[in-house]
């Protein structure tokens, strides 16, 4: 087995892992109950899947074609920069908009604290 | 710190000038040489050596990568179970980070680790509200991850 074949095998495995992760998180996107849980599937496993696919492509271009592709690395960086921001924003605005948590949820400490803050505000306004 | 990086770049440039070879390899050799020169003269700089910060950044990436892997496997395991067996919920935890940059880094990294999405931040009290896919099972690991990341972020930013 030559070095090229080994590298091709590694690239193959990485791309397959990445694709599997992406398809599984899409499955999670369908199955999970509410916005908040779906954002888990949308922001995390998908970023990891993209990391694997782009790294595999990067290695392929580097060793098979002898081409150092900075753009692929930049793609990884930007996906990792933007995915959590969008996830956070969507979840936050959904909560502010009053989207209810699914029935299976067992805990909501944010609602308790928001309630308390509101009461405190009303009291200070009243006096 | 910026001063040291600029000086290092200057040394690399001078190395290229002395060789009169203008390619990436010569630049890299010059940069590594400059790195060691600055390391040996670190006593004479007013700020600590910047290699230490570089090391902290590498450590952050390493720790984060491991966490990302581990928790991804956990989340995928939860998703592909034939019957969904999750108890999602929102819990709060405290953080000792204060400045905006540190908080932004921590929140971004925490949101990227599967099993937790940061929903709301109260910067004055230093409280993060986190939505977890499975509160009972994920809460301890999320708090552990947060403590680990906090320490390294402090090392990087201060």
């Amino acid at each position: 087995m030559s070095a090229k074949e080994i590298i091709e095998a590694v690239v193959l495995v990485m791309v397959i892992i990445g694709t599997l992760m992406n398809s599984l998180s899409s499955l999670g996107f369908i199955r999970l109950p509410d916005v908040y849980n779906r954002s888990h599937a949308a922001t995390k496993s998908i970023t990891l899947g993209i990391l694997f696919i782009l790294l595999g492509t990067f290695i392929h271009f580097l060793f098979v074609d002898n081409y150092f592709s900075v753009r692929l690395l930049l793609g990884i960086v930007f996906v990792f920069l933007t995915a959590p921001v969008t996830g956070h924003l969507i979840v936050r605005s959904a909560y502010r908009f009053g989207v209810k948590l699914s029935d299976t949820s067992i805990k909501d400490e944010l609602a308790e604290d928001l309630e308390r803050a509101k009461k405190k505000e009303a009291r200070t306004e009243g006096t | 710190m910026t001063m040291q990086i600029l000086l290092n770049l200057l040394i690399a440039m001078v190395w290229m000038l002395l060789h009169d070879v203008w390619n990436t390899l010569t630049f890299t050799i010059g940069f590594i040489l400059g790195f060691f020169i600055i390391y040996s003269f670190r006593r004479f700089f007013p700020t600590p050596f910047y290699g230490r910060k570089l090391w902290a950044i590498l450590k952050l990436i390493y720790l984060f990568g491991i966490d990302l892997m581990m928790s991804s496997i956990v989340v995928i395991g939860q998703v592909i179970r034939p019957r969904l067996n999750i108890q999602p919920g929102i819990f709060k935890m405290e953080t000792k980070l204060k400045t905006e940059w540190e908080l932004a880094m921590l929140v971004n990294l925490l949101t990227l680790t599967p099993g937790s999405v940061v929903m709301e931040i109260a910067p004055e009290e230093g409280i993060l509200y986190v939505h977890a896919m499975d509160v009972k099972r994920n809460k301890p690991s999320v708090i552990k991850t947060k403590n680990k990341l906090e320490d390294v972020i402090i090392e990087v930013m201060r």
Side-chain angles (χ1 to χ4, degrees), chain A residues 25-94:
Chain A
S25 33
S26 324
L27 186 72
F29 203 75
I30 299 169
R31 291 192 69 199
L32 290 170
D34 60 352
V35 190
Y36 310 106
N37 284 310
R38 282 180 180 163
S39 76
H40 285 271
T43 52
K44 295 127 209 293
S45 314
I46 282 187
T47 45
L48 197 64
I50 289 173
L51 172 79
F52 269 112
I53 292 175
L54 288 185
L55 261 188
T57 328
F58 176 75
I59 291 172
H60 177 269
F61 276 125
L62 185 61
F63 288 103
V64 178
D65 290 352
N66 282 324
Y67 174 64
F68 189 89
S69 172
V70 187
R71 262 179 286 175
L72 285 172
L73 291 184
L74 271 183
I76 295 174
V77 170
F78 280 119
V79 165
F80 268 73
L81 271 182
T82 49
V85 177
T86 45
H88 171 68
L89 265 184
I90 289 170
V91 166
R92 185 166 185 250
S93 46

Side-chain angles (χ1 to χ4, degrees), chain A residues 21 24-25 27-29 31-34 36-37 39-41 43-45 47-48 51-52 79-81 83-85 87-88 91-92 95-96 101-102 104-111 113-114 116, chain B residues 64-65 68-69 72-73 75-76 78-84 86-93 107-121 127 129 131-136 139:
Chain A
M21 274 186 168
L24 282 180
S25 33
L27 186 72
F29 203 75
R31 291 192 69 199
L32 290 170
D34 60 352
Y36 310 106
N37 284 310
S39 76
H40 285 271
T43 52
K44 295 127 209 293
S45 314
T47 45
L48 197 64
L51 172 79
F52 269 112
V79 165
F80 268 73
L81 271 182
V85 177
H88 171 68
V91 166
R92 185 166 185 250
Y95 198 86
R96 288 281 160 112
L101 276 79
S102 72
T104 45
S105 308
I106 53 169
K107 216 180 198 181
D108 190 354
E109 288 181 352
L110 178 55
D113 279 21
L114 277 180
R116 211 175 300 143
Chain B
F64 174 65
L68 192 61
M69 290 294 210
S72 259
I73 291 166
V75 167
I76 285 177
Q78 281 171 350
V79 165
I80 57 174
R81 198 170 289 167
R83 251 208 210 144
L84 276 184
I86 53 170
Q87 295 170 312
I90 302 168
F91 67 92
K92 63 179 175 184
M93 59 185 183
V107 168
N108 261 358
L109 293 179
L110 268 184
T111 308
L112 267 178
T113 31
S116 57
V117 172
V118 179
M119 296 191 62
E120 198 82 41
I121 314 160
I127 292 176
Y129 295 93
H131 183 274
M133 234 168 96
D134 201 333
V135 176
K136 272 186 194 139
K139 195 177 170 183

Side-chain angles (χ1 to χ4, degrees), chain B residues 1 23 26 33 50-51 87 97-98 101 123 130 137-138:
Chain B
M1 196 184 119
N23 55 18
T26 325
L33 261 174
Y50 84 91
Q87 295 170 312
L97 301 179
K98 287 275 176 259
W101 272 98
V130 180
R137 245 172 291 165
N138 283 358

